[in-house]
Amino acid sequence: MIVVRTLTALLVLLAAAQALAQDRRVPASAAEVRLSYAPIVQRVQPAVVNVYAAKVVQSRNPLLDDPIFRRFFGVPGQQPEQMQRSLGSGVMVDSSGLVVTNNHVIEGADQVKISLSDKREFEAEIVLKDSRTDLAVLRLKHSHEKFPTLDFANSDELLVGDVVLAIGNPFGVGQTVTHGIISALARTQVGITDYQFFIQTDAAINPGNSGGALVDMTGKLAGINTAIFSRSGGSQGIGFAIPANMVRVVVASAKSGGNAVKRPWLGARLQAVTPEIAETLGLRLPTGALVANVVPNSPAARAGLKPSDLVIAVDGQTVEDPNAFDYRFATRPLGGTAQIEVARGGKTLKLAVPLETAPDSGRNEIVLTGRSPFQGAKVANISPALADELHLDSDTAGVVITDLADGQTAANVGFQKGDIIMAVNNQKIAKTADLDKVARESARLWRITLVRGGQQINVTLGG
């Protein structure tokens, strides 16, 4: 009996080997030899553009910091200006001349130009910038024609192993095509943007590819190439792209005429499930997003979400961690509801969460101009929308710095975007008007209490 079984197993293995050998063959015709990605590239390439951004910066001469040097050599106070340039890529997503690229490509630019694949150049205006996704939408100026575009793929249908092409302008050498496969999906620990949910590919991506197209084998836009993991500065086979479904949301906001991206607001803070938390909850695997708190009267509260609920899916799509939830929820269209699947007390529940934006009333954003350490800082009251944007708790009080003017006092003394000003010279700061009033007062010393990254910091600055 043992001999018979052994013989049978050998025959099965032999048959499998012969079948595998039959799959491996030389091309049977000249047509098979000429199999190529060229038809896809020819269709896609005209919609991929080069983006050139320039901004004026002042050259900083360290000798000008020395008052003795200035006194004896009469160096003028105005420092010479230089033009700082950057380059990247972009994708035409609307035939009227709407281009999507990375926000970091055009950040701070005074002038933006778009170069088409046929070498024509157009000046462009910035329609919308979204630092949370590192995406920006541009519009060609003085254009009165229909441009070739790329359609969006459904990036949720992509699979690891799918062949993809990356098209962009690496190192400024000109439009270049590389190919590879999707190496991984739903990368959430990359640390590039607020919405961490990236497509990973081994298609060669280099500096200058940022904002370019990652396309699938149907010629549709699967993602926007954004970053690489590299120790040398060049491609090492690990590139990351923003999924097309997120790009679609940003482009839709730009088309609707908004200057900011409108996304659904949950109204709850989520935390990752650690192995220790999983053991406490009796979970087999440390996956899902644990509800830490719920904002009263928010969509989450009205849907019945409660602290300690474990979110495991959004509209039938599995949630591995809070970053995955943020992406899934942010790509849902406004209006209607999203089905949030949660585990509670050993049971699985489905909750219908309304898809609506966070209220943004009472922000009262102002720029501080008084002679103080805050000069040049743009500050705002913490509205629910701003708290959601900055990942703050709903009960956070104070005034937050939303922007800093280059070369102004606030930037020079070390303030950062996202700093929450709690008190100045023992005066509590509850709203922007409080800070504006304090900043207009003269003082020899400025004692400032702020919160940065969840940590309270006390700072003393000279007047």
Side-chain angles (χ1 to χ4, degrees):
M1 181 64 73
I2 295 176
V3 174
V4 172
R5 287 180 179 173
T6 304
L7 182 59
T8 302
L10 288 172
L11 289 173
V12 170
L13 289 173
L14 182 60
Q18 289 175 340
L20 188 60
Q22 289 174 358
D23 289 340
R24 293 174 177 168
R25 58 184 177 82
V26 297
S29 66
E32 289 188 2
V33 173
R34 292 197 300 271
L35 287 175
S36 171
Y37 300 125
I40 299 172
V41 173
Q42 289 170 2
R43 187 166 71 251
V44 167
Q45 225 167 8
V48 181
V49 302
N50 297 337
V51 180
Y52 300 93
K55 65 178 177 180
V56 177
V57 296
Q58 286 189 337
S59 300
R60 182 167 181 79
N61 188 333
L63 292 175
L64 295 179
D65 294 333
D66 187 345
I68 297 177
F69 185 90
R70 291 200 303 269
R71 180 183 301 173
F72 283 94
F73 292 93
V75 179
Q78 184 64 37
Q79 301 184 38
E81 293 181 340
Q82 284 187 340
M83 186 67 77
Q84 191 177 84
R85 304 180 187 276
S86 63
L87 63 88
S89 306
V91 180
M92 196 78 70
V93 291
D94 188 86
S95 60
S96 65
L98 213 60
V99 173
V100 64
T101 185
N102 281 138
N103 184 56
H104 73 258
V105 171
I106 53 88
E107 182 65 28
D110 301 311
Q111 183 184 47
V112 180
K113 286 188 176 182
I114 301 293
S115 174
L116 306 184
S117 61
D118 60 10
K119 308 301 182 184
R120 287 185 297 162
E121 287 192 353
F122 293 85
E123 288 189 2
E125 61 179 341
I126 300 172
V127 178
L128 183 151
K129 297 192 299 181
D130 187 45
S131 60
R132 301 187 71 184
T133 57
D134 192 23
L135 290 171
V137 180
L138 316 174
R139 187 185 300 279
L140 272 58
K141 293 181 179 179
H142 315 301
S143 59
H144 306 284
E145 61 180 282
K146 297 294 184 182
F147 296 96
T149 64
L150 285 188
D151 293 329
F152 290 106
N154 182 356
S155 52
D156 288 339
E157 295 178 351
L158 298 173
L159 297 174
V160 174
D162 283 350
V163 176
V164 287
L165 305 178
I167 307 177
N169 182 18
F171 298 109
V173 300
Q175 199 171 85
T176 302
V177 181
T178 56
H179 92 285
I181 63 169
I182 293 176
S183 307
L185 294 166
R187 287 297 195 209
T188 60
Q189 303 299 322
V190 181
I192 304 170
T193 64
D194 282 358
Y195 292 101
Q196 298 186 51
F197 198 88
F198 294 94
I199 300 168
Q200 182 182 326
T201 178
D202 67 347
I205 297 173
N206 288 287
N209 272 106
S210 290
L214 187 73
V215 300
D216 63 17
M217 288 298 97
T218 66
K220 292 184 177 181
L221 183 67
I224 293 295
N225 298 319
T226 295
I228 58 174
F229 176 84
S230 175
R231 291 188 172 91
S232 64
S235 175
Q236 292 185 332
I238 300 179
F240 300 101
I242 300 168
N245 287 359
M246 179 60 82
V247 181
R248 192 197 309 265
V249 171
V250 176
V251 172
S253 292
K255 285 184 176 181
S256 68
N259 57 7
V261 180
K262 295 180 179 179
R263 300 183 179 90
W265 174 52
L266 178 65
R269 185 166 62 86
L270 307 178
Q271 69 180 75
V273 179
T274 63
E276 292 77 17
I277 292 176
E279 184 177 355
T280 302
L281 297 176
L283 301 176
R284 189 171 63 88
L285 297 172
T287 62
L290 192 64
V291 178
N293 63 34
V294 178
V295 179
N297 300 318
S298 66
R302 298 201 305 273
L305 199 67
K306 297 180 179 180
S308 300
D309 281 351
L310 182 67
V311 180
I312 55 179
V314 178
D315 284 341
Q317 295 176 312
T318 302
V319 168
E320 297 287 340
D321 55 32
N323 287 324
F325 175 87
D326 288 346
Y327 169 80
R328 296 294 184 198
F329 195 70
T331 52
R332 301 273 90 72
L334 289 168
T337 59
Q339 294 294 322
I340 307 296
E341 196 169 329
V342 302
R344 179 191 298 168
K347 297 181 180 179
T348 301
L349 305 174
K350 289 187 177 180
L351 307 177
V353 178
L355 295 168
E356 55 192 49
T357 58
D360 200 23
S361 58
R363 183 182 289 219
N364 294 334
E365 200 166 36
I366 60 172
V367 176
L368 300 174
T369 57
R371 187 179 176 84
S372 73
F374 302 102
Q375 186 179 41
K378 181 182 286 188
V379 297
N381 297 330
I382 302 177
S383 65
L386 194 55
D388 182 58
E389 180 181 328
L390 298 176
H391 302 289
L392 303 174
D393 289 339
S394 58
D395 57 352
T396 301
V399 172
V400 66
I401 295 177
T402 58
D403 201 6
L404 294 162
D406 291 339
Q408 295 292 308
T409 306
N412 292 339
V413 300
F415 285 115
Q416 297 179 10
K417 290 172 63 173
D419 284 351
I420 301 170
I421 309 303
M422 307 295 292
V424 178
N425 291 340
N426 298 321
Q427 298 184 48
K428 183 180 178 180
I429 304 300
K431 53 186 183 296
T432 55
D434 297 337
L435 185 56
D436 187 36
K437 180 182 178 181
V438 171
R440 294 180 184 278
E441 299 173 357
S442 59
R444 295 182 61 185
L445 289 177
W446 296 83
R447 296 179 177 85
I448 302 165
T449 302
L450 60 90
V451 174
R452 176 182 297 170
Q455 299 295 318
Q456 183 169 307
I457 302 172
N458 294 311
V459 181
T460 301
L461 301 172

